[in-house]
Amino acid sequence: MTYQIHPLGDQGLCISWGNTIDIQINHLALALAEHLQQLQLPGVLDLIPAYSSLGVLFDARRLLREFPHQQPYDYMCKRVELEIQKIVEVDFSKGRSVEIPVCYDPSLAPDLERIARQSKLDTTEIIHLHSSHTYRVYMLGFLPGFPYMGTVDDRLVTPRLASPRQSVPAGSVGIAGSQTGIYPLDAPGGWNLIGRTPLRLFDPNRAEPALLRPGDQVQFTPISLSTFQKNSAAP
Amino acid sequence: MSLQILKPGLLDTIQDEGRYGYSHLGINHSGAMDRVGLAIANYLVGNSAEEAVLEIHFPAPEIRLDTPVLLALAGANFSAEVDGVSLPLHTPVLLQAGVSIKFQKKLSGTRCYLAVGGGFVLEHWLGSCSTNLATGAGGWKGRALRAGDVLALRQNTFGAQLGSDEKMRCLPWSANVSDFYPANQPIRFCPGPEYAWLDAESKSNLEKTDWQITAQSNRMGYRLKGAGLQQQHTTELVSSAVTPGTIQLLPNGQPIILMTDSQTTGGYPRIGQVIQADLPQLAQLGAGQSFPLQAVSLDTAFAALQEQTQLLRRLQTGCTLKLSAMLSTQH
């Protein structure tokens, strides 16, 4: 598959397979990230897989010290291109399956009614459409542990709010365009909110702070307001 | 052995070189905005560059020491005083237990680094002591310091250097930092992945404009105000990697430069990337100040970083020699 590599200044590079949301391309980006992670290349600080790209941040100070005769970006480009050749077969079965309980009660879903009106469906149909589908976690970003998942049924596609909310409560499940996501923390945001999960998407005290990983398969399960309240983390 | 916050400042946080290896989870780097200031403060008191320090903004805190320490301030000059006597910047200073440090006035710069010899006693979170304000983790309880906070310091023997009635003694050397913060120099950048999206006039305006830092600027990013920039493309960009220093073009035609608390991915065109060597200088600029941007090659960026690294290494060697000579003659 064709790709381009661009520098992120003297701090890193970004490998891009086009400007698209595509499962196969995303799989390739994740596979390369995992492969490079296992190699533990000297000087690599961070690997940031996204929808159709992989960011590689490097420690230029260290590369200048350890490889004084090579320009760090050129060195890292060559190294990465060598490894891209090795990713010939991508294992599609790798993502974990994760079930996320969601309460779609109107008190926790300020935008549900509007989406239903716009698509000329009733709210139970919207809830059914959102929870009867398995979503892929394409990437984490925006906030610590925030999963960008997709893609939702065409009838649920809704643009971001023109004016973002000052504060969205942690656990809120939202829709932006054809993507669905979950706010791991209280934060400002412009996604359309259709429910809330009692699960903690991000907890700094856990060994693995983020609940989800890129590549996971997520299934939402509707729960009642009383179940939500029972399972909701103490404030 | 501790340091107490009597009165908090605008934003006082514990920071080190930052947290790496977790960007794929959306966890940002955090860390000192001005890495040169961090390193200089640490070297002056005999620490390694990565030791955690206190990053201070103005209005600055009032601090009390309950133990003798070797302390140094670097970066912004907030006219520090110890019990009414001026505490010089970029100079190692021995301070007696019981003294208080106040900062009177913002003279220059935006962020001041306070390092203590031996460092603070802190727990690591994901490999770093930096405060991550978004998640409320790392540093000191994951938050900015408040009145009454007592930060434990590692054991030190600097008290033996001071006479019992001596409140403060400046050691007879200081760091010359003029090479690290050259005055009136443009902030240099390398073209980013979406630089080609700018039309010809915008590319030229990017470097001809005096960009002003707006009030909507903080540790996450600097929103700039200046000439409007135009995109040739109207394509929506799917989110991809960004990092501190990334210059993004917002839909309103104005750029934002991401800083150390920035998110890890973004969906705005990345028109440039500020070179690492110039990030400390940028970190010391504040709201209302302005600067020009200058495009440079990657080779220039690496050469500038190499030069800065060598200058810092020389400074570290000088500090180590002087400190060890002083400690050996006094004992």
Side-chain angles (χ1 to χ4, degrees):
Chain A
M1 210 154 336
T2 58
Y3 60 85
Q4 283 188 307
I5 302 186
H6 286 288
L8 295 173
D10 55 355
Q11 303 200 41
L13 55 86
C14 189
I15 308 145
S16 169
W17 290 271
N19 181 33
T20 177
I21 300 181
D22 177 288
I23 291 186
Q24 298 205 15
I25 288 178
N26 181 245
H27 232 100
L28 188 59
L30 295 185
L32 181 61
E34 196 181 314
H35 176 73
L36 292 176
Q37 179 63 36
Q38 279 167 1
L39 280 181
Q40 295 279 318
L41 294 179
V44 172
L45 291 175
D46 264 298
L47 296 161
I48 313 175
Y51 280 111
S52 56
S53 64
L54 174 65
V56 180
L57 303 186
F58 52 72
D59 181 348
R61 291 179 184 83
R62 177 169 169 190
L63 294 174
L64 286 165
R65 193 171 62 235
E66 291 183 12
F67 308 100
H69 302 298
Q70 298 193 62
Q71 196 241 50
Y73 172 76
D74 291 340
Y75 168 79
M76 206 46 91
C77 257
K78 268 186 228 139
R79 202 67 188 77
V80 164
E81 290 203 79
L82 196 70
E83 299 308 324
I84 292 177
Q85 314 303 324
K86 297 182 190 163
I87 311 286
V88 278
E89 245 179 69
V90 179
D91 180 4
F92 276 76
S93 60
K94 270 192 147 174
R96 305 173 304 174
S97 289
V98 184
E99 193 186 311
I100 304 227
V102 177
C103 174
Y104 293 93
D105 189 86
S107 62
L108 305 175
D111 300 316
L112 186 62
E113 189 82 27
R114 182 171 43 80
I115 293 178
R117 250 194 338 266
Q118 280 165 3
S119 54
K120 300 191 171 61
L121 296 168
D122 61 40
T123 51
T124 37
E125 287 170 294
I126 299 287
I127 295 166
H128 175 74
L129 283 176
H130 189 253
S131 58
S132 61
H133 188 85
T134 302
Y135 301 99
R136 171 182 181 81
V137 178
Y138 281 92
M139 57 183 280
L140 302 182
F142 168 45
L143 290 169
F146 185 104
Y148 283 87
M149 297 174 283
T151 49
V152 299
D153 186 282
D154 285 346
R155 287 162 285 181
L156 299 182
V157 172
T158 315
R160 281 181 174 79
L161 302 179
S163 166
R165 289 186 170 90
Q166 291 284 324
S167 180
V168 172
S172 293
V173 177
I175 289 178
S178 61
Q179 310 164 94
T180 182
I182 309 168
Y183 283 79
L185 313 161
D186 295 343
W191 291 47
N192 301 277
L193 308 181
I194 59 163
R196 207 182 296 172
T197 176
L199 295 187
R200 293 192 72 167
L201 269 281
F202 191 88
D203 180 351
N205 300 315
R206 285 195 298 240
E208 213 173 315
L211 182 71
L212 296 172
R213 293 182 207 149
D216 284 350
Q217 298 291 325
V218 169
Q219 171 83 56
F220 295 113
T221 314
I223 56 168
S224 67
L225 186 58
S226 61
T227 309
F228 172 83
Q229 284 161 343
K230 223 182 316 166
N231 294 302
S232 210
Chain B
M1 311 262 333
S2 63
L3 173 158
Q4 193 185 349
I5 304 297
L6 298 179
K7 222 166 92 182
L10 179 68
L11 178 63
D12 320 319
T13 56
I14 291 287
Q15 300 294 348
D16 58 17
E17 287 187 323
R19 185 170 285 111
Y20 296 90
Y22 300 93
S23 289
H24 62 292
L25 303 179
I27 299 172
N28 58 30
H29 294 154
S30 312
M33 286 277 280
D34 170 1
R35 279 183 65 153
V36 163
L38 165 79
I40 293 173
N42 270 325
Y43 292 157
L44 284 166
V45 296
N47 294 344
S48 61
E50 68 268 18
E51 191 66 46
V53 305
L54 189 51
E55 183 182 88
I56 295 169
H57 294 79
F58 200 84
E62 196 178 321
I63 295 164
R64 205 186 92 99
L65 297 168
D66 85 342
T67 182
V69 295
L70 178 64
L71 176 146
L73 300 173
N77 187 348
F78 296 157
S79 49
E81 282 184 3
V82 169
D83 295 347
V85 180
S86 166
L87 178 65
L89 203 60
H90 303 131
T91 307
V93 183
L94 288 162
L95 292 172
Q96 190 55 272
V99 304
S100 298
I101 305 170
K102 280 189 197 174
F103 297 84
Q104 301 293 4
K105 208 171 130 194
K106 187 172 172 173
L107 293 180
S108 68
T110 299
R111 292 157 239 277
C112 175
Y113 295 89
L114 183 156
V116 290
F120 296 92
V121 179
L122 296 161
E123 276 176 36
H124 282 74
W125 178 61
L126 305 181
S128 161
C129 292
S130 279
T131 309
N132 186 292
L133 292 169
T135 60
W140 173 256
K141 300 186 177 177
R143 60 163 171 81
L145 300 182
R146 297 178 192 151
D149 283 346
V150 177
L151 281 71
L153 305 179
R154 290 208 194 92
Q155 203 82 30
N156 74 62
T157 55
F158 298 117
Q161 305 288 327
L162 280 170
S164 56
D165 55 350
E166 208 179 1
K167 277 190 176 174
M168 152 171 150
R169 190 199 315 154
C170 298
L171 300 188
W173 64 87
S174 58
N176 178 357
V177 303
S178 56
D179 288 338
F180 296 109
Y181 305 100
N184 303 318
Q185 289 294 306
I187 298 293
R188 292 168 289 180
F189 73 97
C190 295
E194 285 80 44
Y195 179 74
W197 288 27
L198 292 173
D199 63 27
E201 194 191 346
S202 297
K203 281 177 187 163
S204 147
N205 281 343
L206 186 58
E207 294 187 68
K208 276 200 289 199
T209 305
D210 215 21
W211 293 103
Q212 193 183 44
I213 301 173
T214 68
Q216 291 84 50
S217 298
N218 52 30
R219 280 180 47 94
M220 293 172 73
Y222 286 6
R223 281 175 182 260
L224 306 182
K225 204 174 89 181
L229 303 177
Q230 300 284 334
Q231 289 183 40
Q232 306 187 53
H233 298 250
T234 46
T235 331
E236 278 251 342
L237 193 64
V238 300
S239 287
S240 60
V242 295
T243 188
T246 300
I247 310 172
Q248 291 180 311
L249 180 58
L250 298 180
N252 66 2
Q254 300 289 294
I256 180 171
I257 304 183
L258 301 181
M259 299 302 277
T260 190
D261 280 350
S262 82
Q263 52 193 69
T264 53
T265 59
Y268 296 124
R270 297 159 295 182
I271 56 174
Q273 179 78 34
V274 173
I275 70 169
Q276 280 186 80
D278 286 0
L279 283 173
Q281 198 187 327
L282 184 61
Q284 290 300 350
L285 295 176
Q289 288 183 285
S290 50
F291 60 88
L293 284 165
Q294 183 193 2
V296 295
S297 68
L298 277 176
D299 286 344
T300 303
F302 288 119
L305 184 66
Q306 179 85 299
E307 192 192 335
Q308 188 179 76
T309 307
Q310 280 164 355
L311 281 169
L312 278 175
R313 209 170 292 152
R314 217 169 297 152
L315 183 80
Q316 182 185 25
T317 310
C319 287
T320 309
L321 288 174
K322 285 192 187 293
L323 261 184
S324 56
M326 179 203 76
L327 293 172
S328 63
T329 53
Q330 301 269 326
H331 273 278

